């Protein structure tokens, strides 16, 4: 009964209240926040210690991390795997490019309009996609993303076709590489804080409920379709923010930024880092960006490496790096130090979404007709549901 | 659009539809039995096309190219099914993501092996002419493509509906557990169907390489076409694949004539429409 684990875990009734409090030291969440604070300090310090090359990589890791976070919101928390999110990123990126370069808008107004465009586009795509679930949802989002690619690649007049749009400006206050880095860092931190609040809100909890059992939530009277549509739109808009930052960073947007591979890369980042965790998306993007930029100078076939990483993670570590870290290191550590409640929460949070993308550990591996499992049917998309 | 052009594009649409049917029939067959959405179907197409290209360069024989391309894709399909997909049987999301990972690898290795330039397979001389059909001059090769698709469609129908193997597949589609309990080796049936689907994609790759040309990214393009085909026609339905292919082929070709910039965009109109009205597709089973 995975659904119940998600509910806030209260004190164990069998234990007396004082004993419980003593056992569950309050340092555990503080330790986590402390680590996050340290990471943020390190991020702020970064431009002082490394060269512009690495700062540029970090900038990319941040906005791609935001992209992966956007994917993570619907795929990790909502359980709807999308392979078309580069389309939303592209709507905003191209919107910014067309408005600033071709139409001569001021940057601020163009950014606003580009984000509105991304929100509208994702609402529209969402209306079509959320009518379906499971594998159908994957196929439809893939096709939707490729619609945007089709326009980017073929509608020469509007999008510049294969040449894309060059000369997209950075804001006047962030033209230096380190200034732009801080801008991206600030935007990402704000988005992460908002997302962290969102996923812990009643809306976020019902989203997880949809992941665990859409029909159950529907029978409880939730408007599942509306929840999914909202999540899709928020996620698409966030991808749009990433798209705006990407277009500014590269001073360019082109069809390859919108292609299927870009969507799949984003999903890979989210899964590699740890699907259903906020920190995972950033970890995953850092690794993928590193492979794409740094490893590619030594190995031509970095795309193959990404593919192999993809396969290995799906097969052996569906919880990703953060999920595995939590399971192997963090939870045992908390348990050893006596914070059992915190440990249970951390375990649920970090591994709850893993079955969405990988093997459901609780399910018997030998089941050939796995999809007809009635219990733990986390993988939406059984025949009855899809028709 | 002149009347002449209208008829010409009708033929072109049917030809493209025939090619799409070759890819999407394999796709829909695999899904129908195994519930696997094989996003590496485009990669199998790509491998088929490129292996066909190399074969034709080495041997000058289009027939050998078709055989080699189809065999290469089938072999890759065998490895995928036995080596990877079997490990996550019954977990649709793992399966779908695995096929994405595989498509990364195949696309990159194909780029390393065959380079980044678009290549066109030479059409065999015997059918590299034009003929008059309904008063229109039309390349014989394209008529052959349609004929191949018709033959494949009939063969698949006969295989599924009229043979013992087909009965086993249908039994598997309806109820895997009971089929297995009745002594059908369902795992072998799975592998056979997956390999058959891959083989069809490889065949389509060689044909498509001669008709459209083959290039990095062709895998994703053809995959997206097939996705639209099966979403329109209904996933898992052979009849849906036929109707969907024709619909998508015609939409694309007419779209390209009328609004060339937006042809790819127009392609998705039938999909959006179908999704709003009938989410399970024209011939999909109701949910």
């Amino acid at each position: 009964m995975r659904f119940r684990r998600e509910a806030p875990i209260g004190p164990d009734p069998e234990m007396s209240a004082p004993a419980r409090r003593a056992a569950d030291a309050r340092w555990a969440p503080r330790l986590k926040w402390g680590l996050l604070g340290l990471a943020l300090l390190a991020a702020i310090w970064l431009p002082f210690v490394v060269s512009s090359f690495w700062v540029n990589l970090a900038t990319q890791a941040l906005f791609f991390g935001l992209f992966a976070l956007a994917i993570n919101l619907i795929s990790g928390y909502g359980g709807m795997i999308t392979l078309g999110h580069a389309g939303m990123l592209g709507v905003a990126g191209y919107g910014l490019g067309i408005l600033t370069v071709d139409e001569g808008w001021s940057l601020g107004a163009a950014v606003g309009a580009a984000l509105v465009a991304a929100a509208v586009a994702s609402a529209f795509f969402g209306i079509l996609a959320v009518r379906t679930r499971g594998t159908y949802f994957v196929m439809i989002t893939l096709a939707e993303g490729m619609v945007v690619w089709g326009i980017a690649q073929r509608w020469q007049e509007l999008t510049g076709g294969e040449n894309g749009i060059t000369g997209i400006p950075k804001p006047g206050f962030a033209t230096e590489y380190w200034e732009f880095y801080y801008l991206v860092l600030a935007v990402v931190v704000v988005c992460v804080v908002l997302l962290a609040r969102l996923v812990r809100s009643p809306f976020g909890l019902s989203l997880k409920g949809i992941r665990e059992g859409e029909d159950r939530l529907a029978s409880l009277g939730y408007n599942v379709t509306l929840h999914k549509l909202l999540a899709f739109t928020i996620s698409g808009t966030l991808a749009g923010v990433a798209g705006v930052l990407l277009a500014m960073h590269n001073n360019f947007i082109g069809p390859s930024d919108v292609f299927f591979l870009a969507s799949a890369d984003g999903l890979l980042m989210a899964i590699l880092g740890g699907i259903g965790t906020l920190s995972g998306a950033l970890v995953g993007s850092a690794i993928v960006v590193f492979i794409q930029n740094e490893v590619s100078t030594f190995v031509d076939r970095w795309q193959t490496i990404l593919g192999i990483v993809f396969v290995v993670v799906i097969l052996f570590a569906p919880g990703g790096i953060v999920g595995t870290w939590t399971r192997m290191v963090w939870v045992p550590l908390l348990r050893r130090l006596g914070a059992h409640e915190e440990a249970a929460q951390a375990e649920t949070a970090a591994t709850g979404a893993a079955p969405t993308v990988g093997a459901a550990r609780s399910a018997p591996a030998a089941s050939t007709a796995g999809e007809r499992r009635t219990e733990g049917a986390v993988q939406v998309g059984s025949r009855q549901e899809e028709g | 659009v002149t009347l002449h052009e209208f008829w010409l594009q009708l033929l072109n649409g049917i030809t493209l539809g025939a090619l799409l049917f070759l890819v999407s029939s394999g796709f829909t067959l695999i899904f129908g039995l195994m519930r696997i959405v094989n996003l590496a179907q485009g990669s199998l197409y790509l491998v088929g096309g490129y292996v066909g290209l190399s074969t034709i360069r080495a041997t000058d024989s289009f027939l050998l190219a078709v055989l080699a391309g189809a065999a290469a894709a089938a072999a890759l399909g065998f490895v995928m099914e036995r080596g990877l997909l079997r490990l996550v049987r019954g977990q649709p999301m793992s399966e779908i993501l695995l096929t994405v990972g595989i498509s990364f690898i195949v696309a990159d290795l194909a780029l390393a092996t065959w380079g980044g330039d678009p290549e066109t397979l030479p059409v065999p001389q015997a059918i590299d002419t034009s003929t008059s059909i309904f008063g229109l001059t039309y390349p014989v090769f394209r008529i052959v493509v349609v004929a191949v698709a018709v033959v494949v469609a009939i063969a698949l129908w006969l295989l599924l509906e009229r043979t013992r193997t087909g009965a086993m597949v249908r039994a598997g589609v309806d109820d895997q557990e009971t089929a297995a309990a009745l002594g059908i080796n369902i795992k072998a049936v799975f592998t056979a169907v997956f390999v058959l689907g891959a083989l069809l994609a490889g065949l389509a790759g060689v044909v498509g390489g001669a008709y459209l040309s083959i290039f990095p990214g062709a895998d994703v393009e053809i995959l997206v076409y097939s996705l639209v085909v099966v979403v329109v026609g209904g996933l898992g339905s052979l009849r849906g694949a036929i109707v969907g292919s024709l619909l998508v082929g015609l939409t694309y070709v007419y779209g390209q004539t009328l609004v060339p910039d937006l042809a790819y965009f127009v392609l998705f109109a039938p999909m959006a429409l179908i999704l709003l009205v009938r989410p399970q597709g024209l011939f999909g089973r109701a949910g």
Side-chain angles (χ1 to χ4, degrees):
Chain A
M1 290 295 280
R2 201 164 274 109
F3 188 67
R4 278 207 197 129
R5 284 210 328 239
E6 295 293 327
I9 298 168
D12 185 350
E14 306 208 356
M15 210 175 205
S16 74
R20 190 78 209 164
R21 262 196 296 279
D24 255 18
R26 298 310 304 160
W27 50 261
R30 282 189 202 142
L31 181 59
K32 192 176 158 195
W33 283 109
L35 286 178
L36 285 177
L38 272 182
L40 185 60
L41 275 180
I44 293 172
W45 198 29
L46 191 77
F48 294 98
V49 284
V50 298
S51 68
S52 62
F53 173 81
W54 290 100
V55 175
N56 269 325
L57 277 199
T59 310
Q60 287 184 44
L62 282 171
F63 60 68
F64 278 122
L66 184 58
F67 179 51
L69 276 167
I71 292 175
N72 190 28
L73 178 67
I74 50 172
S75 298
Y77 291 93
M80 299 169 271
I81 301 285
T82 165
L83 276 172
H85 245 48
M88 317 312 161
L89 177 145
V91 168
Y94 269 102
L96 185 72
I98 291 164
L99 291 176
T100 53
V101 177
D102 299 340
E103 305 293 326
W105 284 33
S106 75
L107 189 62
V111 167
L115 293 181
V116 170
V120 171
S122 40
F124 174 70
F125 284 146
I127 289 172
L128 295 179
V130 300
R131 295 171 62 84
T132 62
R133 52 168 104 171
T135 46
Y136 248 89
F137 185 88
V138 180
M139 296 194 305
I140 285 154
T141 50
L142 201 171
E144 287 174 346
M146 289 299 285
V147 171
V148 180
W149 174 83
I151 294 175
Q153 174 87 7
R154 305 274 165 84
W155 196 349
Q156 200 88 24
E157 228 170 284
L158 183 73
T159 62
E162 275 184 41
N163 299 323
I165 299 175
T166 42
I168 300 169
K170 289 187 178 67
F173 58 84
T175 46
E176 286 292 320
Y177 75 92
W178 58 271
E179 290 171 333
F180 190 70
Y181 168 76
Y182 282 128
L183 173 67
V184 173
L185 181 64
V187 172
V188 170
V189 167
V190 169
C191 289
V192 168
V193 170
L194 290 177
L195 267 174
R197 293 190 64 118
L198 185 74
V199 298
R200 283 167 184 77
S201 70
F203 173 77
L205 293 176
S206 9
L207 201 58
K208 284 189 206 170
I210 290 173
R211 176 182 84 202
E212 305 300 341
E214 196 169 329
D215 295 326
R216 268 178 280 184
L217 216 69
S219 64
L220 288 172
Y222 285 82
N223 187 339
V224 167
T225 310
L226 187 65
H227 273 82
K228 285 162 78 173
L229 182 59
L230 255 178
F232 197 94
T233 309
I234 295 172
S235 166
T237 312
L238 271 178
V241 175
V244 164
L245 295 174
L246 168 97
M248 286 177 177
H249 177 259
N250 295 343
N251 303 118
F252 170 80
I253 187 105
S256 65
D257 296 320
V258 194
F259 196 56
F260 162 72
L261 285 179
S263 297
D265 277 346
L267 185 63
L268 170 62
M269 291 170 190
I271 295 174
L272 171 64
I275 191 98
T277 67
L278 293 177
S279 48
L282 293 165
V283 173
S285 84
I287 294 172
V288 171
V289 166
F290 179 77
I291 292 178
Q292 281 175 342
N293 290 277
E294 185 58 18
V295 175
S296 63
T297 52
F298 306 110
V299 193
D300 282 344
R301 302 271 68 84
W302 55 271
Q303 188 78 35
T304 302
I305 295 178
L306 283 185
I308 293 170
V309 169
F310 214 138
V311 169
V312 168
V313 170
I314 297 295
L315 283 182
F316 303 110
I321 292 168
V322 169
T324 309
W325 154 267
T326 306
R327 201 160 46 85
M328 310 279 278
V329 182
W330 188 242
V331 169
L333 182 75
L334 289 179
R335 288 239 163 84
R336 172 151 300 189
L337 296 171
H340 294 284
E341 201 175 291
E342 302 290 344
Q345 269 178 2
E347 192 165 28
T348 310
T351 53
T356 312
V357 298
R361 264 181 218 93
S362 55
S367 162
T368 47
E371 246 177 300
R372 283 200 216 127
R373 276 177 287 128
T374 45
E375 195 51 43
V378 194
Q379 288 81 11
V380 284
S382 72
R383 175 179 313 179
Q384 286 80 3
E385 289 157 344
E386 282 181 346
Chain B
V1 182
T2 62
L3 194 64
H4 173 263
E5 202 174 349
F6 174 84
W7 289 111
L8 191 69
Q9 297 301 354
L10 183 71
L11 290 180
N12 280 337
I14 293 172
T15 313
L16 182 61
L19 177 67
L20 294 182
F21 171 75
L22 290 179
V23 190
S24 53
S25 60
F27 191 90
T28 214
L29 198 65
I30 290 172
F31 182 85
L33 176 68
M34 310 166 79
R35 306 279 125 187
I36 292 177
V37 172
N38 180 19
L39 294 185
Q41 192 76 3
S43 314
L44 295 164
Y45 170 93
L46 194 73
V47 166
Y50 274 132
V51 169
L53 178 73
S54 292
T55 312
I56 213 165
R57 279 183 182 158
T59 65
D60 245 0
S61 159
F62 195 83
L63 196 65
L64 276 181
V66 168
L67 292 177
L76 181 60
F78 182 82
V79 172
M80 273 172 64
E81 206 276 330
R82 280 290 166 96
L84 290 171
L85 289 169
R86 184 155 284 189
L87 301 176
V88 292
R89 172 73 68 243
Q91 294 147 5
M93 283 307 156
S94 308
E95 289 166 342
I96 208 170
L97 292 170
L98 267 189
T99 62
V100 174
I102 293 165
S103 71
F104 267 52
I105 300 171
V106 171
D108 193 44
L109 295 181
L111 179 68
T113 315
W114 286 282
D117 297 326
E119 307 273 4
T120 308
L121 274 71
V123 173
Q125 242 157 15
I127 53 173
D128 195 12
T129 56
S130 294
T131 181
S132 183
I133 175 170
F134 308 128
L136 297 164
T137 323
Y138 203 69
V140 176
F141 174 68
R142 295 188 181 187
I143 298 169
V144 172
V145 172
V146 178
V148 168
V150 171
V151 169
V152 166
I154 293 173
L156 279 179
W157 184 79
L158 285 176
L159 176 74
L160 287 174
E161 302 293 331
R162 290 281 183 274
T163 67
R164 196 181 156 73
T165 317
M168 287 191 207
V169 173
R170 280 182 290 127
V173 169
D174 284 340
D175 190 335
Q176 284 170 20
E177 278 155 20
T178 309
L182 288 172
I184 294 171
N185 186 347
I186 201 79
K187 281 189 177 174
V189 176
F190 274 173
T191 309
V193 165
F194 197 89
V195 169
L196 177 62
L199 185 131
L200 287 169
L203 170 69
V206 182
V207 174
Y211 176 40
L212 300 173
S213 85
I214 192 114
F215 52 93
D219 48 349
V220 179
E221 264 190 60
I222 208 81
L223 171 70
V224 171
Y225 291 142
S226 349
L227 290 184
V228 178
V229 166
V230 295
V231 169
V232 168
L235 201 43
S237 155
L238 196 60
R239 209 183 315 163
I242 297 172
V243 175
S245 300
L246 283 175
L247 211 60
V248 170
L250 289 169
T251 310
Y252 184 73
V253 165
Y254 281 118
Q256 209 165 30
T257 323
L258 298 172
V259 275
D261 285 345
L262 289 177
Y264 208 74
F265 184 71
V266 170
L267 185 65
F268 296 91
M271 187 182 91
L273 212 65
I274 293 277
L275 276 176
L276 287 174
V277 184
R278 204 179 145 80
Q280 73 272 28
L282 291 176
F283 296 95
R285 285 187 234 187

